[in-house]
Amino acid sequence: MSDITIPVNIPGANYKVIISPGLLERIGSIISEVAPSDKALLAVDKQITNTHGKLAQSSLRGAGFETTIIELVANEKYKTLETAQSVYQTMLAASLDRKSPVVALGGGIIGDTAGLAAATYMRGVPLIQVPTTLLAMVDAAIGGKTGVNFPLPTGGLGKNLIGAFWQPRAVLIDPLTLNSLSARNFRCGLGECVKYALIADANLLDFLSSNAQQILDLDPELITELIERCVRIKVRIVEQDEREAGLRALLNLGHTFAHAIESIHELDIAHGEAVSIGLVAAMKCAIETQRQSQQDLEKLTKVLKTLGLPICLENPVDEQRLLDAMRFDKKTSQGKLRLVLPCGPGQAEIVDDLPIEIILRAWDSVGAKAV
């Protein structure tokens, strides 16, 4: 299978997303072209150091990079300023300079944390995203968002509250790396794929429904097609709105609900699972405001369940606690909750004035409770 190359054209930061099975073995030569240097930092998910990490390290060294490795833990509670500080310390100890690339190998937590370090070390060094989870491949690695979590006054961690926009020099996607994921981790990425279907590609929802089992079985051709379709949507939106001044906010469909869920650690819900529940809650809001129908909700929940994703909270949570967590989301505007709601096949819109009562009923519909 030949490489799929998708250009990203942003003022001052043009780069390419390359998708190809087996690409991990070739990343060194590509990185040497887009970020030439004699040294590099490989920030790798600790769980894949001895597998994907070894391949990446070998490729980097084969291309002439003196490679320093730092292992990071792919857990939201370690996605903090303290972890970013450990990356800075490693870079300083290795005498990395402003030309030395940071190669982020892993899922979204690794890419976000290493990306923030790259954006701020010496006021910015080259960043290469090499995502190894579906969620990172179709979403987190593309578009230049970096960041870490930060404690909320209400308790828990605010999702990505401390961050920066820093576009990578390249995004290198090897679908074969998905074979090492747990079934749960892989399914989390499918939540983001459903989001893309709702905001930009109604046919993608049918594609996911018709090919659910083959996708869950990691059929390489279908997985590559799924990644490409989602990446093209993300790129098209990011090119029009790099800093989320308008259109890019559509990518947050379901996420204001999801981030509130994620802030409550005892729920133990992963990002993609929270997004899945958030999509259902957003659809409920859309129905109450006559943007969508009950049939649309039924179609959505059927697809999510077929893909093995949750549609409600397993354990009930105080709806007011969830609402309070939503208020600390970055997408609030002048104290008002900003939500993205589906409004037709493959369409969504930003809503700033949704009554709190509707939001609370949406929470109730996915298993929250009034206390």
Side-chain angles (χ1 to χ4, degrees):
M1 186 180 295
S2 58
D3 292 355
I4 298 168
T5 301
I6 303 172
V8 184
N9 298 308
I10 294 172
N14 294 345
Y15 58 95
K16 295 177 180 178
V17 179
I18 303 175
I19 308 168
S20 183
L23 184 63
L24 189 59
E25 297 180 4
R26 299 188 280 120
I27 65 169
S29 60
I30 299 172
I31 295 171
S32 66
E33 293 178 5
V34 299
S37 178
D38 58 349
K39 295 182 178 181
L41 178 76
L42 178 61
V44 58
D45 178 350
K46 187 175 183 179
Q47 298 178 89
I48 60 172
T49 300
N50 293 323
T51 52
H52 304 325
K54 283 188 175 180
L55 276 177
Q57 181 182 22
S58 175
S59 186
L60 286 165
R61 289 179 174 172
F65 288 101
E66 180 184 330
T67 307
T68 299
I69 298 176
I70 181 170
E71 296 180 330
L72 301 179
V73 179
N75 187 301
E76 289 288 343
K77 69 180 181 180
Y78 295 113
K79 187 180 171 182
T80 62
L81 286 171
E82 288 75 18
T83 300
Q85 182 176 334
S86 71
V87 179
Y88 301 141
Q89 292 168 336
T90 300
M91 296 173 77
L92 285 169
S95 300
L96 300 187
D97 59 31
R98 296 185 69 180
K99 292 185 178 181
S100 306
V102 171
V103 181
L105 180 68
I109 292 174
I110 307 303
D112 282 357
T113 307
L116 178 64
T120 49
Y121 180 76
M122 295 188 176
R123 296 200 176 103
V125 300
L127 171 65
I128 311 295
Q129 292 281 10
V130 188
T132 61
T133 67
L134 181 60
L135 194 154
M137 289 177 182
V138 302
D139 187 55
I142 301 163
K145 282 188 176 181
T146 71
V148 295
N149 304 329
F150 198 76
L152 294 175
T154 57
L157 287 176
K159 182 85 169 180
N160 296 325
L161 283 182
I162 310 299
F165 286 95
W166 188 247
Q167 297 295 340
R169 295 287 180 90
V171 180
L172 308 178
I173 298 175
D174 182 350
L176 297 183
T177 60
L178 296 174
N179 293 321
S180 65
L181 295 182
S182 67
R184 181 186 184 188
N185 198 326
F186 175 73
R187 288 195 302 268
C188 282
L190 294 173
E192 293 288 349
C193 297
V194 174
K195 175 199 75 176
Y196 284 121
L198 292 177
I199 67 172
D201 185 355
N203 292 331
L204 182 56
L205 201 61
D206 294 327
F207 174 84
L208 287 163
S209 179
S210 301
N211 298 289
Q213 191 56 56
Q214 296 98 310
I215 289 170
L216 291 170
D217 291 339
L218 295 176
D219 178 280
E221 289 190 11
L222 286 173
I223 290 295
T224 300
E225 179 181 349
L226 177 61
I227 293 169
E228 179 184 2
R229 290 178 70 165
C230 293
V231 167
R232 289 191 183 278
I233 294 171
K234 178 74 180 275
V235 168
R236 186 169 69 246
I237 291 174
V238 168
E239 285 182 330
Q240 297 177 71
D241 181 17
E242 179 189 3
R243 298 296 181 109
E244 202 171 294
L247 181 66
R248 185 168 178 170
L250 295 179
L251 294 169
N252 293 318
L253 176 64
H255 282 59
T256 304
F257 289 101
H259 289 170
I261 293 169
E262 289 179 272
S263 74
I264 302 176
H265 293 308
E266 60 265 31
L267 292 176
D268 189 30
I269 294 179
H271 178 67
E273 295 166 337
V275 168
S276 179
I277 297 170
L279 293 176
V280 175
M283 183 65 79
K284 178 66 174 178
C285 291
I287 292 172
E288 289 218 26
T289 55
Q290 300 183 337
R291 290 174 166 87
Q292 297 274 248
S293 68
Q294 183 66 28
Q295 288 72 27
D296 295 313
L297 176 61
E298 291 170 0
K299 182 176 182 179
L300 171 62
T301 55
K302 181 179 179 181
V303 172
L304 291 171
K305 288 193 288 187
T306 300
L307 295 171
L309 290 163
I311 60 172
C312 63
L313 298 165
E314 186 174 331
N315 299 306
V317 179
D318 177 9
E319 62 185 22
Q320 189 60 50
R321 184 180 178 188
L322 290 163
L323 186 64
D324 289 343
M326 292 176 85
R327 296 185 191 281
F328 287 98
D329 192 89
K330 304 181 299 304
K331 294 172 283 297
T332 55
S333 177
Q334 297 181 345
K336 295 181 179 180
L337 287 175
R338 168 168 288 187
L339 295 177
V340 180
L341 301 182
C343 60
Q347 300 177 62
E349 64 180 332
I350 302 164
V351 181
D352 287 324
D353 57 353
L354 200 65
I356 294 299
E357 293 75 17
I358 290 179
I359 297 174
L360 288 173
R361 286 197 292 272
W363 276 123
D364 291 345
S365 73
V366 295
K369 63 178 181 179
V371 175

